[in-house]
Amino acid sequence: MNGIDREDMLELTRRMTMSRNCFHRIAGAYFDKDGYVDGTFNIHFQKLTKVEQEQKLKLAKAIPFARTNVELKEHFFPESVQRQGTVWQFLNVILKDDLKNDGLLDIFYEMFGEQYPASHDYGIFFFLGKYDIPRKGTDHASQWESEEVYPFLVCTVCPIDSDYEPQGVESGFLFPAYKNRAGIQNMVNVFGEDEHPEILKILGIRDIESGFAGKN
């Protein structure tokens, strides 16, 4: 494992601006500190107000813009969790369904709330992005035509105030991982694992006794 290339992450963040926004949809849930869901939402990103779009873009950008290989680290999904009924499979289906499968999202939220310890109310925000990776010439200059499309999910976990407004990002992930200018389906980039190692257990990267992850 060679780690995350900072240039790959910066390439993504350049598509997370108001003028070059790569996000198509946003969904999420609000939790009380005991892990119970207080409410959910699922909406096309462009239907948010401009102020809301700017706010949410800051949340999403916090994941790839974090210090690579320090705050943001790459992980392989063990072969044992690359199967039906695991979080890995859930994330693939959520991505394939363009973040529109509310039933599957509800199951994910319930599972997450059961396993994520918190001393405060918090929210999970899922962003669906699609990045047309530009072809590069022999001089490494970007060309206009796309080489391939990279569909991805950014998930941020954020403390929220009494008005359900997010107060920064404490953990999250980018799936699938973006490496060598391509999506890697058996990898994920995880943010905030040092302070919140439970995110690794939820994803199935570490041993966990649940219906979603197998023994690594």
Side-chain angles (χ1 to χ4, degrees), residues 6-142:
R6 181 66 174 166
E7 288 304 313
D8 282 340
M9 296 298 100
L10 292 178
E11 183 179 350
L12 288 183
T13 61
R14 287 192 285 270
R15 301 305 188 275
M16 298 179 184
T17 66
M18 292 293 289
S19 60
R20 306 177 73 186
N21 174 36
C22 64
F23 291 118
H24 294 256
R25 198 164 194 86
I26 179 173
Y30 302 105
F31 297 78
D32 63 23
K33 64 181 181 180
D34 296 319
Y36 292 101
V37 176
D38 283 340
T40 63
F41 68 93
N42 193 330
I43 188 172
H44 193 287
F45 198 86
Q46 295 300 324
K47 290 187 177 181
L48 299 175
T49 67
K50 295 299 183 183
V51 171
E52 290 173 328
Q53 288 181 36
E54 289 184 6
Q55 179 197 58
K56 297 304 188 293
L57 282 171
K58 289 181 180 178
L59 298 181
K61 191 184 296 186
I63 302 298
F65 201 65
R67 289 182 294 164
T68 51
N69 306 306
V70 179
E71 296 174 316
L72 184 68
K73 302 177 184 179
E74 69 178 26
H75 292 276
F76 282 99
F77 285 97
E79 289 186 8
S80 60
V81 302
Q82 294 181 47
R83 57 180 172 79
Q84 187 173 359
T86 65
V87 170
W88 176 83
Q89 189 254 348
F90 271 34
L91 292 176
N92 275 288
V93 175
I94 289 170
L95 183 60
K96 181 181 178 181
D97 290 345
D98 289 335
L99 201 58
K100 296 178 181 179
N101 192 326
D102 286 324
L104 203 55
L105 285 168
D106 287 343
I107 294 173
F108 180 89
Y109 299 147
E110 182 178 354
M111 177 273 300
F112 194 97
E114 290 175 351
Q115 300 187 47
Y116 192 83
S119 59
H120 50 260
D121 297 347
Y122 64 93
I124 294 178
F125 300 87
F126 268 113
F127 300 82
L128 170 71
K130 293 185 179 181
Y131 172 39
D132 292 326
I133 304 171
R135 188 181 301 275
K136 283 196 174 182
T138 55
D139 60 352
H140 301 292
S142 295

Side-chain angles (χ1 to χ4, degrees), residues 30-31 55 121-123 158-167:
Y30 302 105
F31 297 78
Q55 179 197 58
D121 297 347
Y122 64 93
C158 309
I160 56 174
D161 62 19
S162 57
D163 295 319
Y164 296 95
E165 293 296 326
Q167 306 296 303

